[in-house]
Amino acid sequence: MIELIGKTNIDFMGKKLYAFGFSAILSIMGVLAIIQIGKGKANLGIDFAGGIAVQVKFQSTVPLHDIRTALEGAGMKDFDLQDLPTVNKVLISIKRQETEGVVDRVVSVLTERFSDKKPVIDSTTEIGPKVGHRLRKDALIAVLAATAGILIYIAFRFKFRFAIGATIATAHDVLAVLGVFYIMGKEINLLLISALLMIAGYSLTDTVVVFDRIRENIRKSHKEPTGEIVNKSVNEVLSRTIIVSLTTLLTAVALFLFGGEVIHDFSLTIIMGIVVGTYSSIFIASPTVLLLGGKKPLIKR
């Protein structure tokens, strides 16, 4: 593999306490976000808060920006737009508190503004509070199931303390991104949950590469102190980690810049997840394994 940087000898383990302090702040933000989501006080999307989805068909294509401007000009807020260009349709999702008479308002505004495009209501779907609560519960189960799967997989492939390190690093990544999104006032919806699960998978892949190198080096240099072996292993895969992260990051940035507003927050989540996941695979996963083990060997020799 092409090396982006030369041979390094950075004392990552010596900086673990600073990293743990920084990560503790990010994780607390994530926990606060979960509490607020549970109370329904975060900026929840229609999936979780309930609302109504109105699908409008036009005779020809209408830019989303023009529709957004028309609806906002009529005083409507807290809505999302999704373009269906192949059939000249637009899906307008509006939160529960804004649903009273909303279909009539949408028809009135769009008919007045785009009379030449002949807008008609193709379908309406209402998501009640019970459905939103169920979706929140299902999303939480999905995240917990993914975490349990990670724990079992790493414990089977390495040792249980590696599983704890990988699980903590993955949970840290999800909490950090969720916390930042909450602080930014971004909408929490099913698309965000999908992105968080994707981040969990990416973070785990990066962490397993580091763990594999640690195991390999312990077998080759079992007389060296464990901390030095972990440091050496992280330094050896550092170039690979940076190249893979940058490659994935460029793709996510391209989606963010040119993918359109519908996937804007999704791509932003992936960008943040790649950065945080790369950081945690170096500063959280391996140091946690080291701390959990004390002076015991990391693997059986």
Side-chain angles (χ1 to χ4, degrees), residues 114-177:
F114 306 104
S115 56
D116 57 324
K117 307 290 185 183
K118 298 184 174 10
V120 293
I121 301 297
D122 196 55
S123 66
T124 59
T125 305
E126 189 167 356
I127 299 177
K130 286 185 178 179
V131 176
H133 178 73
R134 175 64 185 271
L135 286 173
R136 263 186 286 178
K137 184 180 174 184
D138 288 349
L140 178 63
I141 291 172
V143 173
L144 291 177
T147 304
I150 290 169
L151 190 69
I152 294 168
Y153 169 70
I154 300 294
F156 175 76
R157 184 167 173 182
F158 297 93
K159 286 183 71 176
F160 188 67
R161 86 174 68 155
F162 282 84
I164 297 290
T167 305
I168 289 176
T170 305
H172 159 274
D173 298 344
V174 171
L175 288 174
V177 175

Side-chain angles (χ1 to χ4, degrees), residues 46-217:
I46 183 175
D47 312 318
F48 298 145
I52 191 166
V54 184
Q55 191 165 278
V56 184
K57 181 174 176 56
F58 294 88
Q59 200 170 49
S60 58
T61 304
V62 180
L64 282 186
H65 175 73
D66 292 350
I67 296 174
R68 183 181 297 282
T69 302
L71 294 176
E72 287 177 345
M76 296 182 68
K77 57 182 182 179
D78 288 338
F79 62 85
D80 290 321
L81 301 178
Q82 184 175 347
D83 199 9
L84 307 171
T86 56
V87 287
N88 296 328
K89 293 180 182 179
V90 171
L91 183 65
I92 306 171
S93 302
I94 307 153
K95 291 183 185 177
R96 183 160 48 92
Q97 61 268 29
E98 297 290 328
T99 57
E100 189 174 350
V102 70
V103 177
D104 293 337
R105 290 179 65 194
V106 168
V107 172
S108 174
V109 171
L110 297 183
T111 302
E112 182 181 343
R113 177 66 178 79
F114 306 104
S115 56
D116 57 324
K117 307 290 185 183
K118 298 184 174 10
V120 293
I121 301 297
D122 196 55
S123 66
T124 59
T125 305
E126 189 167 356
I127 299 177
K130 286 185 178 179
V131 176
H133 178 73
R134 175 64 185 271
L135 286 173
R136 263 186 286 178
K137 184 180 174 184
D138 288 349
L140 178 63
I141 291 172
V143 173
L144 291 177
T147 304
I150 290 169
L151 190 69
I152 294 168
Y153 169 70
I154 300 294
F156 175 76
R157 184 167 173 182
F158 297 93
K159 286 183 71 176
F160 188 67
R161 86 174 68 155
F162 282 84
I164 297 290
T167 305
I168 289 176
T170 305
H172 159 274
D173 298 344
V174 171
L175 288 174
V177 175
L178 185 61
V180 173
F181 250 65
Y182 170 71
I183 297 294
M184 292 171 67
K186 294 285 186 181
E187 189 173 282
I188 311 295
N189 52 31
L190 283 177
L191 201 58
L192 174 67
I193 300 301
S194 305
L196 292 177
L197 291 173
M198 191 172 166
I199 289 170
Y202 176 84
S203 173
L204 180 64
T205 304
D206 227 23
T207 302
V208 166
V209 170
V210 178
F211 285 177
D212 259 334
R213 184 56 61 94
I214 291 173
R215 181 170 57 181
E216 186 182 323
N217 282 336

